[in-house]
Amino acid sequence: MPEQKETLEYDVLVVGGGIAGGESALNLANIGYKVLLLEKELTIGGKMILLSKVFPTLDCAACITTPKVSEISRHPNITIFTSTVAKKINKIAEHRFEAVILKKPRYVNVPDCTGCQLCEEACPVSVTDQYQYGLVGRKAAYIPFSIASPRAAAIDIDNCTLCGACERACPTKCIDFTQTEEEYLVKVKSVVVATGFNLFDPLKIPRYGFGKFKNVITSMQMERQLAPTRPFNTILRPGDGKMPDNIAYVLCTGSRDKTVGNPICSQICCMYSIKQAQLLMGALPMADITIYYLHIRAFGKGFNEFYAQAQDMGVEFVKGKVGKITENEDGNLILRYEDIESGVVKEAEHDMVVLSVGVLPNMEISETFENKNLELDPFNFVGQPDILASPAKTSIEGVFVAGTASGPMDIPDSILSGGAASAETTSYLRRASL
Amino acid sequence: MKKKIGVYICHCGGNISDYVDVEQVRKAVENEPGVFLAKTTMFACADSNQKEMVEDIAAQHLDGVVVASCSPKLHLITFRAVTERAGLNKYNYVHANIREQVSWAHSDNKPGATEKAIRIVKSAIAKVNRSESLEPVKVSATKAVAVIGAGVAGMRAAIELAEAGSEVYLIEREHFVGGRVAQFDDLCVSTETGKTLVTRLYDEVMKHKHVTLFTGAEVIETSGSVGNFNLKVKVVPRYIELRCKEHQLQDAIDVCPVQVPDEFNFNITMRKAIYHNYPSEYPQLPAIDIKNCTRCGECEKVCENINFDQKTEYLNLKVGSILLATGFDPYEPKRGEFGYGEIENVVTLPQFKRIMHYSKDKLMYRGKQIKHIAYIYCVGSRQVDGENKYCSRYCCTATIHSAVTAKNKFKDIYNYHFNRGIRTYGKQEVLYDESSRKGDIYLQSFEDAPPVVEKKGDKTIVKITDILTNNKELEVEADLVVLVTGMVPRKENSIAGLLKVPKGRDNFFNEIHMKLRPVETVIDGITIAGASQGPKNIMESMNSALSAATKSFSIVNAGELALEPTVAKIDKENCEWCGKCDEACPYSAFTKIEYNGKFIAEVNETICKGCGMCLPVCDTNAIELIGFTDKEVESMIDALV
């Protein structure tokens, strides 16, 4: 049984500490509301903090995310709980919500941790690193990544052998194995759902060979290889550590594909693939990059120009759907695809393949609402019953949605959606005080 | 001179340290005058390093701080805040840019890059040695916002601002609100029509006591700055008195001899100089288009409510923030562009929507029934030769939606989509799927070989080399050719000129940061919403309107604003008003005042941005820039060379 802690009171509960939830929380805090921000991961910053650079500005994602994250974590009106999920949320009346939240133990006393990483050195356990999307390993005692917020160690208790090496190595004695799950009752006046999205799991398309052929990776793995906090400090193909010189991108992996149950377009994959192609041409000047696409969706501000730039740089765009990927003995990959412009099925060899995986809904949150139904749309994103006039409104009055929880979108659209959620929350809260 | 300067040199996770030897930089500067500690750090901006800096400054009583990292555009404010949190006046912080100006610029020369970085850091140390503590300029903010443009974005923003607790002036140039959406019938991803959406927004605007709507109103003068803008608004009368008698009004419209193209219908119909609103436009009051009125007096003879004595009024408004929601224009094809203006059955997408509006059972245009419709995409967008390189974002979905609507509403409709790669992003994809299932034909052209529209006898033919059928030359005989025209910035946007709102390369309003600050502009207190910032659909415009409302509200809600004290300062004794500073100033921050029997310049501290444009033009060297004084800049130059 989790330890029952005191009841907490805030104006707003924001569920999800990614870029949209963070924007909502900051706007509300700046207006003067007290916000509790929940994040299920060990760090806030969502998926954006893990990216390399962003399209079409090519700003380093870490460089523009860290000040935002830092602003959120320092704001006197924002309280952040990481490793915490909302177990249930009930609407008692208008402007009265009660949530039960569960804070999982980190086994580290965060304020005392200096991030010295001595525990990491001492820990004898190696497992794959989820924040590097399985490209490299990490220890069971670990700091998520260097720009994590909070930048503090955590113990992965599922993989920990309880050998005690980390405790002995820690200079500030901040590791505490007696920590237990804590449950809080939270009373708030309004809720913002900013639970983000899941990436498509390409194991669901066995003909692309992900998981079987080592040189087939996902776009998020490539994102990590290109990021400033990258694991290899260069681009390597995982099969043999060779620097690739002929890379293929397979767009619409898990998007616009009814066979995997996802008929919609993920809205971001074309652009992030074009961005990665441009970055790869900088990192590997001799490499050829080919993008296999159905339609290039370069629709946002500056996007079409960015697409044209990639064409000018020499990125090859092939209009065609990849049907199947097979592997040669040397680890190279053969892509069998329909070349739409010539109307015939062709094969091409590449030494590394990146699957541009799509955006899927994160459906956990709808089950959290107990006495009211948080309706989902036909694609299982959070429904928007008044999508044209009040896109942040949900089926429950006083519960607002921000960012990709309501559908695929890129960073500026997530920021706008986060802003809309904070605006609607503000006027909802003001009605409570009148 | 300082005694305890802290210097932090950032690796930027490799962005800097891959090319600059940061340890060598550290060693080279640690013994500079005043330097007390010099450290390197993986990410200076990361929370953990900020924490360490705060501890250093407080525990060691540092009196100056330098961070050598990325551009100050990114992190000057971040590190000023760090010093402030540690109890040190934030103007004792100096930023050195060794990423954009060094590591990224000189990735081909590592020793040279390191040497340049050392000098840049030394010059920052020289500057911080001479820095002074400064206090911000405090101004109180007026709790009111002017929203310019009463389309759906402007109305939505106005409602939200009023709900949050601000006074709102909603200023619309036309006599009717509703903007572009009033011209639409069925809307995508919703069962609503343009009329129902505009109606409910207008009703809410009118019911809210804190929103004041002005129609026929245009801002003609602006002054002031964030917290306190003064707007002079010209309000043109309708020349018709309230509660006019409906039948008399119709008589007046009937007798009016003037016929002008009706812009609401994109000129496919004509209207009189005295005209009524459309059902989707508000307020429901007629107006006289005085520009086209010949003052013949016929209407006055049949209607007693017409009053040509109504006067243009001028109002002065004071607001803390301005939210621009001035919308877009549809691209107007050039004469001959895909036969536009030359072949009678070539129309634009906005015109097509109005044609559908006026058709029942059968789709009719110019007396002929329309069955075969050819849509030509990307007209005025993604131009290979023209200026508009951008994608207009909404048109693929809007066209497919219109095509599906036409098919559902009228008999025997056959749609042919001459596209350049369909961009129904996100959930809009299902609409593309639906139209394909219903039998719409998609043909795709190459970027550099657009389809051709031509007349063959009395037939209109569209020809294409089609990518999707192995480059076959295909022809479609069309009853109607619809040019899918994109969004372009408003041609007439006087407020943007008055406020000097920056524009991007696509000529839409430019935001501060495309990714993270999409509704704020570099002019403090001015926010941008909807399609004025770039093409958007309705939902996206609403999100942007609500975001801009939040940002504007937090400005006016603050009560007191702290502005940068790094502004120009006049040496009153040396100034001999010549006016050159006033001419050079892009913000109109100077005024001419009398002082000791002569004229001198005075700086409005709340308007001055500290850009320094006035300094080099001053003949008597009577202007000093606080925070960039001559002695500071000279010491920096000495350290650099």
Side-chain angles (χ1 to χ4, degrees):
Chain A
M1 272 294 284
E3 188 187 343
Q4 302 292 320
K5 305 288 273 191
E6 75 270 34
T7 300
L8 306 171
E9 283 194 45
Y10 292 90
D11 293 315
V12 188
L13 174 69
V14 176
V15 187
I19 201 70
E23 174 75 9
S24 289
L26 261 184
N27 286 340
L28 289 162
N30 283 338
I31 290 170
Y33 294 112
K34 299 279 181 199
V35 179
L36 177 64
L37 180 63
L38 297 191
E39 172 54 57
K40 70 174 176 188
E41 295 291 330
L42 294 165
T43 165
I44 60 168
K47 294 209 178 48
M48 185 180 173
I49 201 167
L50 296 168
L51 302 180
S52 54
K53 294 189 178 185
V54 291
F55 57 81
T57 53
L58 292 182
D59 280 312
C60 145
C63 310
I64 60 173
T65 317
T66 46
K68 199 102 182 167
V69 159
S70 171
E71 205 183 336
I72 296 162
S73 59
R74 281 200 320 266
H75 205 293
N77 290 340
I78 301 176
T79 306
I80 301 170
F81 278 19
T82 51
S83 313
T84 305
V85 292
K87 252 173 78 180
K88 51 187 174 187
I89 303 175
N90 276 296
K91 181 170 177 175
I92 310 300
E94 275 321 316
H95 308 107
R96 270 184 67 201
F97 289 84
E98 285 186 4
V100 176
I101 63 168
L102 186 68
K103 192 174 196 320
K104 295 197 186 99
R106 192 178 180 118
Y107 303 105
V108 169
N109 192 8
V110 171
D112 294 339
C113 177
T114 60
C116 69
Q117 293 177 285
L118 291 175
C119 56
E120 275 188 21
E121 278 173 33
C123 178
V125 181
S126 274
V127 290
T128 54
D129 184 347
Q130 73 274 34
Y131 293 106
Q132 300 286 11
Y133 286 81
L135 288 171
V136 287
R138 62 155 170 84
K139 297 299 185 68
Y142 68 113
I143 284 178
F145 46 90
S146 63
I147 52 172
S149 175
R151 185 172 181 275
I155 308 294
D156 170 2
I157 204 72
D158 294 337
N159 289 302
C160 173
T161 59
L162 296 175
C163 69
C166 54
E167 268 182 300
R168 288 189 293 277
C170 178
T172 63
K173 302 289 166 228
C174 68
I175 294 172
D176 176 6
F177 281 104
T178 67
Q179 285 184 359
T180 53
E181 285 190 332
E182 294 169 356
E183 208 174 77
Y184 296 83
L185 178 68
V186 186
K187 294 183 173 180
V188 292
K189 294 176 188 144
S190 180
V191 180
V192 174
V193 173
T195 43
F197 67 96
N198 292 330
L199 285 164
F200 175 75
D201 177 4
L203 287 173
K204 288 183 186 149
I205 308 181
R207 61 182 194 280
Y208 285 171
F210 179 77
K212 195 162 66 176
F213 309 143
K214 285 186 172 162
N215 298 328
V216 177
I217 65 168
T218 68
S219 45
M220 199 59 190
Q221 289 177 319
M222 181 55 92
E223 202 65 46
R224 291 308 304 157
Q225 288 216 30
L226 290 161
T229 49
R230 55 194 179 268
F232 309 138
N233 215 22
T234 182
I235 313 299
L236 300 177
R237 63 176 203 173
D240 49 13
K242 170 181 172 280
M243 281 168 79
D245 54 26
N246 187 3
I247 303 168
Y249 276 82
V250 179
L251 293 192
C252 299
T253 303
S255 311
R256 303 178 68 189
D257 186 348
K258 287 180 196 162
T259 65
V260 295
N262 187 28
I264 65 174
C265 157
S266 290
Q267 208 157 317
I268 57 171
C269 325
C270 285
M271 292 309 295
Y272 75 58
S273 301
I274 291 171
K275 170 201 72 184
Q276 289 189 358
Q278 292 197 16
L279 295 177
L280 282 168
M281 293 196 115
L284 307 167
M286 301 309 288
D288 293 324
I289 319 285
T290 309
I291 294 181
Y292 294 88
Y293 72 99
L294 295 177
H295 299 94
I296 291 293
R297 276 153 185 190
F299 56 85
K301 193 164 181 170
F303 291 8
N304 203 54
E305 295 90 325
F306 193 71
Y307 169 38
Q309 181 176 303
Q311 288 173 306
D312 291 345
M313 286 170 76
V315 177
E316 198 176 338
F317 287 85
V318 175
K319 188 172 171 72
K321 178 85 180 164
V322 174
K324 193 178 180 186
I325 299 173
T326 50
E327 191 186 39
N328 277 354
E329 273 175 16
D330 60 2
N332 284 2
L333 302 149
I334 309 296
L335 273 64
R336 190 173 165 81
Y337 67 100
E338 181 200 8
D339 182 52
I340 292 175
E341 288 190 21
S342 65
V344 291
V345 174
K346 288 183 178 173
E347 287 192 344
E349 184 173 336
H350 295 274
D351 58 5
M352 192 168 175
V353 172
V354 182
L355 303 176
S356 297
V357 288
V359 170
L360 294 181
N362 176 7
M363 285 147 69
E364 292 159 25
I365 189 69
S366 68
E367 289 144 29
T368 311
F369 287 88
E370 263 193 342
N371 68 337
K372 296 271 177 188
N373 183 19
L374 185 75
E375 283 171 18
L376 302 181
D377 74 3
F379 316 105
N380 291 320
F381 289 96
V382 175
Q384 297 162 286
D386 191 4
I387 187 164
L388 295 183
S390 286
K393 275 193 180 153
T394 68
S395 58
I396 307 173
E397 201 175 349
V399 178
F400 303 96
V401 62
T404 51
S406 69
M409 59 183 87
D410 57 18
I411 294 163
D413 281 344
S414 295
I415 293 281
L416 292 179
S417 160
S422 59
E424 300 251 22
T425 307
T426 305
S427 52
Y428 179 76
L429 291 174
R430 198 173 145 81
R431 286 198 286 277
S433 62
L434 288 177
Chain B
M1 297 293 278
K2 302 271 191 309
K3 292 191 184 71
K4 282 196 157 183
I5 298 169
V7 182
Y8 299 83
I9 301 146
C10 183
H11 286 253
C12 197
N15 272 312
I16 294 169
S17 55
D18 285 353
Y19 311 104
V20 171
D21 184 338
V22 291
E23 182 51 30
Q24 203 184 321
V25 177
R26 194 195 66 77
K27 280 189 189 143
V29 302
E30 67 179 341
N31 295 319
E32 281 293 289
V35 173
F36 179 76
L37 63 84
K39 293 181 174 181
T40 63
T41 166
M42 187 51 71
F43 279 103
C45 55
D47 222 34
S48 51
N49 185 66
Q50 291 192 27
K51 225 164 86 186
E52 190 181 324
M53 285 176 67
V54 169
E55 282 162 15
D56 285 350
I57 297 165
Q60 310 290 344
H61 304 289
L62 300 183
D63 56 6
V65 178
V66 171
V67 174
S69 58
C70 52
S71 159
K73 243 178 119 175
L74 278 168
H75 280 321
L76 174 69
I77 291 171
T78 312
F79 295 117
R80 275 187 177 171
V82 169
T83 49
E84 200 168 34
R85 285 208 303 284
L88 177 66
N89 183 285
K90 64 182 177 186
Y91 296 97
N92 289 309
Y93 169 75
V94 174
H95 198 94
N97 179 357
I98 58 165
R99 194 178 74 176
E100 283 81 347
Q101 290 182 352
V102 181
S103 64
W104 285 357
H106 305 292
S107 53
D108 55 338
N109 179 0
K110 292 183 188 182
T114 302
E115 178 56 30
K116 183 174 172 185
I118 290 169
R119 296 203 193 182
I120 286 179
V121 178
K122 281 185 176 174
S123 85
I125 293 167
K127 180 170 190 290
V128 82
N129 257 309
R130 287 154 189 84
S131 70
E132 282 171 17
S133 298
L134 302 171
E135 289 309 318
V137 178
K138 296 263 168 88
V139 292
S140 64
T142 307
K143 202 166 179 178
V145 179
V147 177
I148 315 293
V152 290
M155 285 198 283
R156 189 68 188 86
I159 294 162
E160 208 56 41
L161 283 161
E163 289 272 305
S166 169
E167 202 62 41
V168 184
Y169 305 109
L170 178 57
I171 298 166
E172 170 57 49
R173 185 169 59 186
E174 304 293 329
H175 283 298
F176 305 104
V177 307
R180 298 290 176 200
V181 174
Q183 295 168 301
F184 302 158
D185 286 348
D186 295 328
L187 301 177
C188 193
V189 303
S190 163
T191 52
E192 273 196 281
T193 61
K195 179 180 182 320
T196 60
L197 182 60
V198 170
T199 305
R200 66 193 176 106
L201 290 173
Y202 176 73
D203 287 348
E204 270 197 70
V205 163
M206 294 314 286
K207 135 180 135 196
H208 217 294
K209 61 179 187 290
H210 292 294
V211 185
T212 312
L213 170 68
F214 301 99
T215 54
E218 200 168 358
V219 177
I220 54 166
E221 267 176 47
T222 62
S223 63
S225 61
V226 59
N228 299 287
F229 290 101
N230 301 301
L231 305 179
K232 188 170 182 184
V233 182
K234 176 182 168 188
V235 185
V236 180
R238 308 176 100 85
Y239 302 102
I240 295 176
E241 282 171 6
L242 293 176
R243 289 175 294 281
C244 71
K245 292 180 183 131
E246 193 62 30
H247 69 278
Q248 286 191 349
L249 175 75
Q250 194 52 52
D251 291 344
I253 294 173
D254 290 344
V255 297
C256 176
V258 179
Q259 291 262 11
V260 290
D262 189 346
E263 286 179 340
F264 188 89
N265 286 332
F266 299 98
N267 305 340
I268 61 167
T269 60
M270 304 295 275
R271 69 155 166 79
K272 300 294 182 70
I274 172 168
Y275 63 110
H276 210 292
N277 63 293
Y278 283 86
S280 53
E281 289 184 307
Y282 295 92
Q284 294 184 329
L285 275 177
I288 290 177
D289 166 9
I290 203 72
K291 277 189 202 127
N292 287 305
C293 173
T294 58
R295 305 294 296 268
C296 67
E298 290 297 321
C299 55
E300 281 174 293
K301 290 180 196 158
V302 296
C303 179
E304 63 204 45
N305 299 94
I306 287 168
N307 179 1
F308 283 105
D309 295 332
Q310 287 183 352
K311 293 277 178 294
T312 296
E313 287 178 47
Y314 295 89
L315 305 165
N316 291 304
L317 303 175
K318 193 172 176 189
V319 295
S321 174
I322 302 171
L323 189 156
L324 299 173
T326 49
F328 69 97
D329 283 328
Y331 173 77
E332 178 66 22
K334 293 184 187 72
R335 190 177 167 83
E337 191 172 357
F338 299 104
Y340 186 73
E342 290 172 351
I343 301 173
E344 74 288 348
N345 53 350
V346 176
V347 298
T348 64
L349 178 65
Q351 287 173 333
F352 177 60
K353 290 185 182 186
R354 299 310 297 166
I355 293 167
M356 285 211 285
H357 175 85
Y358 287 107
S359 299
K360 287 198 174 58
D361 303 330
K362 290 177 184 169
L363 183 61
M364 301 293 289
Y365 182 59
R366 295 189 172 212
K368 287 185 190 156
Q369 188 183 349
I370 306 297
K371 289 183 177 174
H372 296 268
I373 310 169
Y375 304 88
I376 298 180
Y377 284 64
C378 300
V379 178
S381 309
R382 298 175 63 187
Q383 290 176 329
V384 177
D385 300 320
E387 272 177 26
N388 300 345
K389 300 292 179 203
Y390 59 89
C391 163
S392 282
R393 186 170 182 146
Y394 94 111
C395 7
C396 279
T397 306
T399 308
I400 296 174
H401 179 255
S402 295
V404 170
T405 307
K407 215 166 203 170
N408 291 340
K409 210 170 153 189
F410 308 110
K411 282 182 201 137
D412 302 331
I413 296 290
Y414 302 91
N415 293 316
Y416 306 88
H417 301 264
F418 292 82
N419 67 87
R420 280 172 63 192
I422 293 293
R423 291 180 170 176
T424 42
Y425 55 91
K427 298 175 198 169
Q428 300 168 138
E429 183 70 20
V430 292
L431 195 64
Y432 179 27
D433 194 50
E434 184 191 340
S435 101
S436 304
R437 271 189 287 111
K438 285 192 164 159
D440 280 16
I441 308 281
Y442 285 83
L443 310 102
Q444 188 178 338
S445 62
F446 289 90
E447 300 278 305
D448 49 359
V452 175
V453 182
E454 60 184 34
K455 203 82 194 164
K456 251 189 207 163
D458 60 349
K459 289 175 181 162
T460 304
I461 306 287
V462 184
K463 283 194 206 165
I464 187 172
T465 308
D466 178 31
I467 291 179
L468 306 178
T469 50
N470 194 11
N471 307 338
K472 281 201 176 65
E473 303 274 340
L474 299 175
E475 281 188 11
V476 169
E477 186 190 330
D479 301 323
L480 190 70
V481 177
V482 177
L483 305 184
V484 177
T485 47
M487 293 186 180
V488 295
R490 284 268 187 203
K491 277 187 283 292
E492 286 169 37
N493 208 337
S494 52
I495 179 93
L498 291 173
L499 293 168
K500 298 186 173 129
V501 182
K503 292 180 180 173
R505 61 181 164 182
D506 50 14
N507 273 321
F508 288 96
F509 292 159
N510 221 14
E511 60 288 322
I512 289 189
H513 192 276
M514 205 184 269
K515 300 301 270 191
L516 295 182
R517 299 178 75 181
V519 296
E520 295 160 273
T521 68
V522 290
I523 305 173
D524 291 340
I526 296 180
T527 57
I528 48 180
S532 67
Q533 182 260 354
K536 282 179 193 61
N537 66 26
I538 298 173
M539 182 197 80
E540 291 156 355
S541 291
M542 290 300 186
N543 273 335
S544 120
L546 290 165
S547 272
T550 299
K551 299 291 178 192
S552 280
F553 181 70
S554 59
I555 295 167
V556 300
N557 188 49
E560 191 177 61
L561 301 171
L563 305 181
E564 283 293 313
T566 47
V567 294
K569 192 181 161 191
I570 303 287
D571 177 347
K572 292 178 181 171
E573 308 310 322
N574 275 339
C575 178
E576 302 285 343
W577 176 266
C578 63
K580 285 185 184 167
C581 53
D582 188 31
E583 279 168 32
C585 180
Y587 304 100
S588 312
F590 289 96
T591 42
K592 185 179 177 182
I593 60 159
E594 234 184 305
Y595 172 80
N596 274 356
K598 63 171 183 177
F599 288 109
I600 64 162
E602 187 182 60
V603 180
N604 182 336
E605 291 180 335
T606 64
I607 298 174
C608 177
K609 291 266 174 288
C611 70
M613 300 280 275
C614 50
L615 268 71
V617 299
C618 179
D619 291 334
T620 56
N621 203 18
I623 310 176
E624 182 102 287
L625 195 59
I626 300 171
F628 288 91
T629 57
D630 286 355
K631 64 174 181 160
E632 284 171 281
V633 175
E634 280 159 13
S635 72
M636 289 175 80
I637 295 169
D638 288 342
L640 278 170
V641 294

